[in-house]
């Protein structure tokens, strides 16, 4: 597994996001869903996405929380990667670009056939909870967990193996 970074280490660096992974986790937290705290200290939501993404009421607020958090970290670049085969990826790309433009965040969004190998082989800082990516990437940021812990006070987080975290 790549080396997990403290958020302060993202300053001036490039951060690449596993877009659906990070976004759906924060959306789930805002919706009051149960999140699982895994042994690798990431948070995983229990929603399943099978080829289709649907914008929900929490999408906009989740993007703002992610953006405000990233702005605190002061990265040089933020690049979102979305799975092109997932329906509505183009629409989500537009939403992300619009939110970023409204807030002055220098984000780019790429639709790719499969973000996993792109992110797993990245030299940039990767934000994900996907174990396949974490096993391959050099450096990673536990962004979704940081956003949830710092900005979603009433999140329901359960440690895998038992016990409530927050």
């Amino acid at each position: 597994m790549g080396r997990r970074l403290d958020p302060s280490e993202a300053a001036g660096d490039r951060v690449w996001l596993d877009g659906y992974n990070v976004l759906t986790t924060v959306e789930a937290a805002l919706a009051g869903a149960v999140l699982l705290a895994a042994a690798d200290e990431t948070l995983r939501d229990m929603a399943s996405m099978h080829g289709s993404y649907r914008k929900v009421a929490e999408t906009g607020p989740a993007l703002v929380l992610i953006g405000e958090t990233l702005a605190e970290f002061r990265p040089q670049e933020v690049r979102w990667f979305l799975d092109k085969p997932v329906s509505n990826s183009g629409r989500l790309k537009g939403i992300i670009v619009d939110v970023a433009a409204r807030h002055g965040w220098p984000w780019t969004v790429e639709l790719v056939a499969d973000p996993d190998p792109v992110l797993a082989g990245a030299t940039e800082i990767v934000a994900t909870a996907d174990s396949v990516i974490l096993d391959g990437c050099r450096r990673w940021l536990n962004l979704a967990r940081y956003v949830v812990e710092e900005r979603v006070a009433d999140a329901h987080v359960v440690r895998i193996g038992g016990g409530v975290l927050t």
Side-chain angles (χ1 to χ4, degrees), residues 85-99:
V86 172
S87 70
N88 297 315
S89 288
R91 287 189 182 119
L92 180 57
K93 175 182 178 177
I95 293 167
I96 293 169
V97 168
D98 287 346
V99 168

Side-chain angles (χ1 to χ4, degrees), residues 1 16 23 59 121 142 161:
M1 180 182 294
W16 286 9
L23 178 59
T59 301
N142 203 350

Side-chain angles (χ1 to χ4, degrees), residues 1 14 19 25 28 30 47 79 87 118-119 127 129 132 134 145 159:
M1 180 182 294
R14 293 179 187 89
T25 301
L30 289 171
R79 185 175 299 178
S87 70
V118 174
L119 295 169
V132 170
L134 292 176
R145 182 168 185 154
R159 183 182 310 277

Side-chain angles (χ1 to χ4, degrees), residues 131-164:
S131 60
V132 170
I133 297 170
L134 292 176
D135 286 344
C137 71
R138 286 184 31 205
R139 305 175 297 152
W140 66 284
L141 187 61
N142 203 350
L143 179 61
R145 182 168 185 154
Y146 191 84
V147 171
V148 170
E149 286 183 345
E150 296 297 317
R151 298 179 180 273
V152 186
D154 58 350
H156 303 290
V157 179
V158 176
R159 183 182 310 277
I160 293 176
V164 174

Side-chain angles (χ1 to χ4, degrees), residues 48-104:
S48 60
M49 226 177 63
H50 298 289
S52 180
Y53 172 80
R54 188 173 60 99
K55 180 181 180 269
V56 294
E58 293 79 16
T59 301
L63 288 169
V64 170
L65 293 180
I66 293 165
E68 290 172 348
T69 302
L70 284 166
E72 288 177 10
F73 299 167
R74 300 181 331 275
Q76 170 191 342
E77 173 192 5
V78 172
R79 185 175 299 178
W80 289 71
F81 288 86
L82 300 175
D83 304 71
K84 188 174 185 175
V86 172
S87 70
N88 297 315
S89 288
R91 287 189 182 119
L92 180 57
K93 175 182 178 177
I95 293 167
I96 293 169
V97 168
D98 287 346
V99 168
R102 279 197 311 264
H103 290 88

